[in-house]
Amino acid sequence: MEDIDAVDSTRRGRRRMVADALDAKILLALVAAPRSTIAGLAHRLSVARNTVHARVKRLEEGALHPSDHRIDTAALGYPLRAYVLANLKQRRLDDVGEALAQIPEVLEVIGITGPGDTLIQVVARDADDLYRIAGRILAIPGVKRTRTLISMRTMVPYRVSPLLVRLREGRRMEASPEVD
């Protein structure tokens, strides 16, 4: 169901939507079998085909990311992943974003609060390539300084299935266990 007060959630004009339990069931089925057809999903979930079709279409417009998120960059020859914290001149934010989008090794740029203005996810072939990419970022007009953090390993891979299970089951947010 779409939030009545929804606003554009990205510059690409996606509308913010709020998923419900049926959306969660459909998404979990797609996580388990990404090549599922609408008819296959409808049969597996015991839901009318037209309902599944309408839901998937709505999810594609507002909740599903491009499929290139599934590609392992190491398989493309870019095994090194790093994050670049950048401090920017505030009046140049849009220009910096456009320049970063022109660097193929930049996977994602997020505006943040804290020790920097943006968190830039990059991939590189090796340390020398990372040095080149970081230099290219630093050379962008409006970038004041950068700090590069190299990813040593992924400890918890990107996932949303636990959230989908919670939504599917109608559970509310659980208190986190205390960590000693």
Side-chain angles (χ1 to χ4, degrees), residues 3-22:
D3 184 359
I4 294 174
D5 296 321
V7 295
D8 285 352
S9 62
T10 69
R11 302 187 86 204
R12 293 183 302 269
R14 284 187 169 192
R15 303 232 350 131
R16 225 177 257 178
M17 61 161 295
V18 178
D20 63 16
L22 179 55

Side-chain angles (χ1 to χ4, degrees), residues 2 6 12 17 22 29 31 36 38 63 78 89 93 106 113 116 124 128 144 149 158-159 164:
E2 192 163 5
R12 293 183 302 269
M17 61 161 295
L22 179 55
V31 167
S36 297
I38 297 297
Y78 295 90
K89 293 179 183 169
L93 289 175
V106 170
T113 62
D128 288 334
K144 294 193 286 188
L149 310 162
Y158 181 85
R159 70 215 176 107
L164 292 170

Side-chain angles (χ1 to χ4, degrees), residues 65-85:
H65 292 284
S67 60
D68 64 354
H69 282 233
R70 296 177 54 205
I71 299 169
D72 182 357
T73 56
L76 303 177
Y78 295 90
L80 187 62
R81 181 176 306 268
Y83 298 87
V84 179
L85 284 170

Side-chain angles (χ1 to χ4, degrees), residues 6-175:
V7 295
D8 285 352
S9 62
T10 69
R11 302 187 86 204
R12 293 183 302 269
R14 284 187 169 192
R15 303 232 350 131
R16 225 177 257 178
M17 61 161 295
V18 178
D20 63 16
L22 179 55
D23 293 327
K25 289 177 186 177
I26 292 168
L27 290 168
L28 283 165
L30 286 170
V31 167
R35 294 179 162 198
S36 297
T37 63
I38 297 297
L41 289 169
H43 177 73
R44 193 171 319 122
L45 300 172
S46 300
V47 176
R49 188 188 62 75
N50 287 340
T51 300
V52 173
H53 178 68
R55 292 295 186 109
V56 169
K57 183 177 180 184
R58 187 173 56 89
L59 289 166
E60 287 174 338
E61 293 171 355
L64 292 175
H65 292 284
S67 60
D68 64 354
H69 282 233
R70 296 177 54 205
I71 299 169
D72 182 357
T73 56
L76 303 177
Y78 295 90
L80 187 62
R81 181 176 306 268
Y83 298 87
V84 179
L85 284 170
N87 293 88
L88 312 176
K89 293 179 183 169
Q90 295 301 305
R91 66 181 190 280
R92 305 286 310 261
L93 289 175
D94 290 338
D95 295 337
V96 171
E98 289 172 16
L100 289 168
Q102 300 306 310
I103 302 172
E105 297 88 355
V106 170
L107 300 184
E108 184 176 38
V109 181
I110 302 170
I112 61 169
T113 62
D117 299 309
T118 58
L119 180 64
I120 307 162
Q121 184 179 177
V122 302
V123 291
R125 294 185 185 281
D126 54 33
D128 288 334
D129 194 34
L130 178 58
Y131 184 82
R132 177 190 61 79
I133 296 162
R136 199 166 163 198
I137 292 170
L138 192 53
I140 296 172
V143 175
K144 294 193 286 188
R145 79 181 140 271
T146 63
R147 182 173 164 200
T148 303
L149 310 162
I150 297 175
S151 173
M152 301 299 285
R153 69 181 173 124
T154 300
M155 296 173 64
V156 178
Y158 181 85
R159 70 215 176 107
V160 295
S161 294
L163 299 174
L164 292 170
V165 168
R166 178 187 291 163
L167 181 60
R168 178 190 68 199
E169 295 174 0
R171 290 186 289 158
R172 294 188 176 251
M173 181 92 121
E174 300 166 355

